[in-house]
Amino acid sequence: FSADDCYEAVTLDAQQARLLAVKEGSCAFYHQRRTKTEDGRIYEYTLSYIRSDRVRLDVHMQKGGMTFVRTID
């Protein structure tokens, strides 16, 4: 029914960097999503780290709403 996404710019620690095959201290996006049912119960919760050199975030805003596109290479 609804989803709330949060993106935050972060620097990767040694373990995160190893998993993403980049150097420790590299920049990335931390992504968190909570998807809820119509009555507000959370049924999906995800945490992701996305390499900043492999993602593009596009946001289009207009009077009637907003669209968001995330492209990962």
Side-chain angles (χ1 to χ4, degrees):
F1 180 74
S2 70
D4 295 313
D5 282 2
C6 175
Y7 288 86
E8 182 179 350
V10 297
T11 55
L12 300 172
D13 64 25
Q15 180 182 1
Q16 296 160 340
R18 182 178 52 77
L19 291 170
L20 293 177
V22 296
K23 293 180 183 178
E24 181 178 353
S26 294
C27 295
F29 283 104
Y30 168 76
H31 172 242
Q32 179 182 43
R33 173 177 287 163
R34 289 185 183 111
T35 308
K36 299 177 183 177
T37 61
E38 288 186 33
D39 62 359
R41 290 179 292 145
I42 295 173
Y43 71 88
E44 176 190 36
Y45 179 76
T46 62
L47 301 174
S48 305
Y49 288 91
I50 305 166
R51 286 176 51 159
S52 60
D53 65 340
R54 297 278 178 96
V55 67
R56 178 181 168 145
L57 306 173
D58 296 305
V59 179
H60 176 76
M61 292 176 272
Q62 61 189 39
K63 184 178 179 180
M66 180 180 80
T67 60
F68 174 83
V69 177
R70 176 180 70 179
T71 306
I72 300 176
D73 177 22

